[in-house]
Amino acid sequence: MKTNTYGNGSVYRRQDGRWVAAVCSRDPVTGKSVRTYFYAQTKQEALQRKMELLAKSRELSSPSGLTARQS
């Protein structure tokens, strides 16, 4: 059985027939986990939206111009 790794998001079908794309990311200001949902009529639309949400969350989580120093 294949398991998904944390942070890759998920796509599933609700009982009412709609598809849900869900992505978990961290809020850059507070550091808390935030789960974002998107509802779609088709699975393809939900998968596409999931990829967009993942790209956006990775863009926000990367520090802008900051580097870590080792001592």
Side-chain angles (χ1 to χ4, degrees):
M1 185 164 130
K2 182 180 173 186
T3 59
N4 292 332
T5 57
Y6 180 79
N8 284 340
S10 59
V11 174
Y12 58 93
R13 193 169 190 171
R14 293 171 38 119
Q15 283 186 343
D16 64 3
R18 290 187 294 174
W19 288 88
V20 180
V23 174
C24 189
S25 62
R26 295 232 179 249
D27 184 357
V29 177
T30 62
K32 293 184 179 183
S33 291
V34 178
R35 191 138 171 107
T36 306
Y37 297 95
F38 177 78
Y39 299 95
Q41 295 296 320
T42 65
K43 185 176 182 179
Q44 289 296 349
E45 186 180 348
L47 286 169
Q48 181 180 1
R49 184 61 177 180
K50 180 185 96 163
M51 299 309 284
E52 292 171 6
L53 291 172
L54 282 171
K56 183 178 177 184
S57 70
R58 288 190 179 123
E59 179 182 295
L60 291 176
S61 66
S62 64
S64 57
L66 300 177
T67 57
R69 295 179 98 186
Q70 291 183 351
S71 45

